[in-house]
Amino acid sequence: MNPLFIQFVNLLGALLLLLAFAMLSQRRILSLIRLYTMQGVALVLATGVVGYVTGQPHLYLSAGLTLLLKVVLIPLLLHRVIERLDVRWDVEPLINIPTTMLIGIALVIFAFHLGAPIARLSASVARGTLGIALASVLLSFLMMITRAKAIPQVIGFLAKENGLFFEATAATYGMPMVVELGIGLDVLIGALILGVFMFQIREQFDSLDIRHLERLKEE
């Protein structure tokens, strides 16, 4: 295997992780969507490179599907949602940004420590990506937990799936195409359902703060 291509996949994984960190520090929803789109571009490149190195043409189709969903359709859907809801800024997170970043650093260290024994047993093109992918998933969970508004939580959910997809591609050379198509469809339908969910929250409470949902429990 050409070590240059392996290093390039690792570089794209590092970019994915940096973008996940950048999401944690963002309050502007438009910036979150742009960062999510950049993650999609990194996934497309990584999938294409792994397909070229391993000689598996189905990964090119997977890269095309990723381009269509994560770079075009879902960002476009998110833009339409925030335009309809007239939302541009996110409120202060539940935990302040410096504390959130420190927790994120601790999660990255934990992810790499957890993934190191498994990575040593792997013979894939980019076995070092396991820690990166796990860290990206944990950072996305952290973003979902520390945001009170629905839209950032939706973006965090979608970013979590990016980390899982990256690891499936880099470590196992991709899933069967039927599975990938099914996951892609699930993600798109999930984004549509979450969009409807946000509209319903806004209509009922005139806000996207999910803490208003606690009123339903009290009633």
Side-chain angles (χ1 to χ4, degrees):
M1 298 292 180
N2 190 330
L4 209 60
F5 288 110
I6 297 175
Q7 290 302 319
F8 186 58
V9 173
N10 286 328
L11 177 63
L12 291 171
L15 177 61
L16 197 74
L17 183 58
L18 287 173
L19 291 171
F21 256 114
M23 287 181 175
L24 285 178
S25 64
Q26 285 295 327
R27 294 187 180 94
R28 190 170 172 82
I29 293 175
L30 284 173
S31 298
L32 282 174
I33 297 175
R34 292 191 190 104
L35 291 170
Y36 172 77
T37 305
M38 292 171 65
Q39 277 196 335
V41 172
L43 281 176
V44 171
L45 292 174
T47 305
V49 170
V50 173
Y52 176 78
V53 172
T54 60
Q56 299 195 45
H58 79 275
L59 288 178
Y60 295 124
L61 183 57
S62 179
L65 179 65
T66 302
L67 178 66
L68 180 64
L69 285 178
K70 300 176 183 295
V71 181
V72 179
L73 287 180
I74 292 178
L76 183 62
L77 174 64
L78 291 172
H79 277 290
R80 291 289 298 275
V81 167
I82 65 172
E83 286 175 5
R84 291 279 302 277
L85 294 174
D86 193 24
V87 177
R88 292 294 183 273
W89 292 85
D90 186 20
V91 295
E92 286 289 329
L94 300 176
I95 305 175
N96 63 62
I97 296 299
T99 303
T100 303
M101 299 301 285
L102 288 175
I103 296 173
I105 292 171
L107 288 175
V108 171
I109 295 172
F110 170 75
F112 275 88
H113 180 72
L114 183 65
I118 303 173
R120 283 194 289 267
L121 301 175
S122 174
S124 65
V125 170
R127 62 184 183 180
T129 58
L130 178 59
I132 293 174
L134 182 57
S136 297
V137 171
L138 292 178
L139 291 177
S140 299
F141 270 123
L142 179 62
M143 189 174 83
M144 294 173 65
I145 292 169
T146 57
R147 300 301 175 99
K149 291 294 184 76
I151 293 179
Q153 290 196 345
V154 169
I155 297 174
F157 169 78
L158 296 171
K160 172 184 66 66
E161 198 272 335
N162 283 347
L164 295 172
F165 186 85
F166 175 73
E167 185 53 33
T169 300
T172 65
Y173 305 153
M175 298 168 282
M177 183 50 58
V178 174
V179 177
E180 291 185 7
L181 288 172
I183 291 175
L185 183 61
D186 288 344
V187 170
L188 182 58
I189 292 175
L192 290 170
I193 292 173
L194 291 170
V196 174
F197 174 67
M198 287 184 284
F199 279 111
Q200 291 296 322
I201 292 177
R202 182 61 177 267
E203 182 179 348
Q204 293 294 325
F205 302 108
D206 197 28
S207 170
L208 288 175
D209 193 328
I210 62 171
R211 286 174 292 186
H212 291 304
L213 295 176
E214 293 178 1
R215 296 179 189 171
L216 298 177
K217 285 197 296 185
E218 295 172 0
E219 293 174 0

